[in-house]
Every structure is written in structure tokens, then in C-alpha cells.
Amino acid sequence: MRIAWWGDSLIEAYEAHNPRLADPADLPDVGSMVEITQWRHRGFAYAATIALRARHPSVEVESDNFAVGGATSADVLAEIRAGTTGQAWHVAVVGCGTNNVWRRFQQRPEGVPIDAYEANMRAALRALEPRARTLAVIAAPPIGWLPGIDTAAVNAELARYNERARHAALDVGACFIDVWDRFMATATALGWAPGVPAAAGASATLWRSDGVHLSDLGDHLLAEEIVRCPTEAVIIEHALTNDSTRTTTQQHHAQ
């Protein structure tokens, strides 16, 4: 089963790596230096893929991550259109909302107005429809804090953009993955105050130190929702039928 991902840095989730950092028999000493040998994808896309492999060991789960840090909906649409048309996946996942709004509040030209954002999302899903059995859209999670920017105002606007993404997803029969309420409830239980940087480490918050990118906990919350909707059902169906990936979403739902 093949899963493809498009979006911004929340999906790209690169980390610097050297194999010694993950080798318990050859860990570098504290205070020593190692050479970074690669960047590798981690975050919730990776966590969801690993969870699916663990839950369905008889199915080979492959993951293609095409996300790009800093991407807006316009960038994601261009990336999808520029991709190889011969490629196909069982599940195609799109998630990009944060930069569209954040750049507008920064008064940067990359910011995407809400109508253009919805148009981009609809065009992206239409472009992926013939190439994936199932489509999924990930709503942007809330932001924890931003220096010099009204976090509450950003989150209110993000919620409006998420509603547009929801409409675009439902109109093509795509699964819409929304963790907004769960993020808010969990962050509040952890003592989060909107717009205030967390005093605790990333293990006690949903965000990393910049207040935007997700901590391991935030990534885990999102990965849980992704596994449930829609990949769990699709991977089971694929294991049972083992049919071609080149089935359009409409054909799949008609069956």
C-alpha cells in the first residue's frame, strides 16, 4: 500500500541525522561532535506510517513525502501539477494552511487570501483524484504562540481556512482530518495560555520552541487521527483485495 503526502514543514518534518545517534551500541559521548550525514522525514506522517506497519505487518506500507517547508496552497498545487502523472497511490494526503495565514499576518507576499486558498485546495484535490484511490485533507492545527503577532487572531483565521478546506474535501468525497478541538483540549490540560511561550520543554507541550512546529506529543495526536481516517480502512481493504492503485476516488466510493 502506498501513501503520498503534500504540504508544508509540518508534514515535511525534516530532522538532521547521523546513524550513530540511533545506535545504542555506538552512541556518541556527551559533548562529542558528529557529522550530520542526512536529513530524514519524521513528524506525524512518519509516525502514522510506522503505526500502520506495526498494526498490519502482512502489508508493505510505502510512504512518499513530497511536502516542502514554507509551502502555501499555491506551492502545493504547483508541486502536485509538476509531479509525474504516471505515479499513483492508495491514499493521497494534502495538508497546508498555516503558511497561507501566517504570511498574511507577517505582511509577506506569499500569504494566500482565503478564496484563493480554497480554489487551490480544490484544484489540488481534482489533480490527485485520478491518481489515488482515497484522498485525505489535514486541517491545520492551531498555533501555540508567535513573537510579535496576535496568536488568537491567527488561530481565528486558521479556523476559517480550515472550514474552506473541509468544504473542498467533502465535495470530492475526501476524508477530512481535523484535530483542532483535541489540540485545544490537550493544550489547555497541559496549562497552555494562548500566545504565551511554554516554559516547559517540548515534551510537555504540543509545539516546539517556535510555537508553530509540532512536538512529539503534537505529532502523535495527529498521527492517531490519520491512522483512523482513512488509512486504516484502506489498508485493510488493500490487504484483502490487493487490487490496482489506479482506481479513482469516485469509482472506489461507487463500489
Side-chain angles (χ1 to χ4, degrees):
M1 176 186 156
R2 301 185 66 203
I3 308 173
W5 311 80
W6 284 269
D8 52 29
S9 58
L10 298 186
I11 293 179
E12 180 186 50
Y14 267 140
E15 72 170 16
H17 180 65
N18 179 297
R20 287 190 62 197
L21 298 176
D23 183 355
D26 189 28
L27 286 176
D29 293 332
V30 175
S32 65
M33 298 179 65
V34 297
E35 179 183 5
I36 299 304
T37 58
Q38 67 177 129
W39 285 4
R40 61 182 187 178
H41 295 290
R42 285 301 181 262
F44 59 78
Y46 174 78
T49 302
I50 294 301
L52 288 168
R53 289 173 180 167
R55 294 168 75 158
H56 304 281
S58 63
V59 179
E60 183 178 354
V61 181
E62 298 179 356
S63 181
D64 296 324
N65 194 324
F66 300 108
V68 177
T72 65
S73 58
D75 299 318
V76 169
L77 175 57
E79 186 73 21
I80 290 171
R81 285 175 168 170
T84 304
T85 56
Q87 288 181 298
W89 301 270
H90 294 91
V91 180
V93 186
V94 180
C96 62
T98 302
N99 290 314
N100 299 268
V101 174
W102 188 8
R103 300 309 181 221
R104 288 184 58 205
F105 277 79
Q106 292 176 313
Q107 306 298 315
R108 288 173 52 172
E110 305 98 301
V112 179
I114 192 167
D115 289 340
Y117 168 77
E118 181 178 356
N120 290 338
M121 292 296 288
R122 289 181 180 277
L125 293 172
R126 285 196 300 270
L128 287 172
E129 212 168 5
R131 302 166 61 189
R133 172 187 298 174
T134 297
L135 301 176
V137 174
I138 300 176
I143 285 173
W145 56 89
L146 284 168
I149 298 179
D150 186 341
T151 305
V154 172
N155 280 337
E157 193 68 359
L158 264 180
R160 292 181 62 231
Y161 276 58
N162 281 344
E163 279 305 302
R164 295 294 189 93
R166 182 192 301 273
H167 295 320
L170 296 182
D171 283 351
V172 297
C175 178
F176 187 71
I177 302 169
D178 188 356
V179 296
W180 190 280
D181 290 342
R182 189 176 179 191
F183 257 67
M184 288 294 195
T186 304
T188 300
L190 291 171
W192 169 64
V196 179
S203 62
T205 79
L206 296 175
W207 299 277
R208 296 192 181 276
S209 59
D210 61 4
V212 178
H213 294 92
L214 303 182
S215 68
D216 289 344
L217 180 57
D219 281 327
H220 184 78
L221 290 186
L222 245 171
E224 284 188 338
E225 298 302 318
I226 292 169
V227 168
R228 281 198 288 265
C229 172
T231 47
E232 189 78 50
V234 174
I235 198 169
I236 293 172
E237 179 183 357
H238 175 59
L240 294 175
T241 64
N242 197 29
D243 58 359
S244 171
T245 62
R246 299 177 185 276
T247 304
T248 66
T249 304
Q250 292 95 333
Q251 290 172 331
H252 175 60
H253 289 306
Q255 293 168 359

